[in-house]
Amino acid sequence: MSDVRHVLVLPDRDAAEEAAEALVDRFGVREEPQLVRDALAGEDDAEDAQWLVVVEDPDARLDAAALDAFAGEWDGWREAP
């Protein structure tokens, strides 16, 4: 078993919350994805923050390409490891 972590970068909190909920339904993710605010370098304004959805994948069963396409539905992307 290898500990794999996928990080989806999304444009705002609403998108991150929607994606986190959809991940559970669509991919059967067992652990609740974590939402993390990622302020852009040098920016203090909350409007200039991206949100990260961190998905633990202990069995390495999630397909990276499928997650990338999934994040794209919210104008986001999957961070390459």
Side-chain angles (χ1 to χ4, degrees):
M1 188 162 35
S2 64
D3 279 346
V4 175
R5 176 178 289 154
H6 301 281
V7 178
L8 307 181
V9 181
L10 298 167
D12 57 47
R13 183 180 187 133
D14 289 343
E17 288 175 347
E18 288 176 24
E21 287 180 24
L23 273 166
V24 174
D25 294 337
R26 193 175 310 177
F27 292 96
V29 175
R30 284 178 252 156
E31 287 188 38
E32 187 73 26
Q34 293 179 305
L35 300 181
V36 180
R37 181 179 178 273
D38 183 35
L40 300 176
E43 298 293 337
D44 293 326
D45 187 353
E47 296 300 314
D48 291 326
Q50 296 173 327
W51 282 78
L52 308 179
V53 178
V54 181
V55 183
E56 300 294 336
D57 186 14
D59 301 325
R61 65 179 189 78
L62 299 175
D63 180 66
L67 286 173
D68 196 36
F70 174 82
E73 295 175 25
W74 285 272
D75 296 323
W77 66 91
R78 184 187 63 84
E79 268 303 300

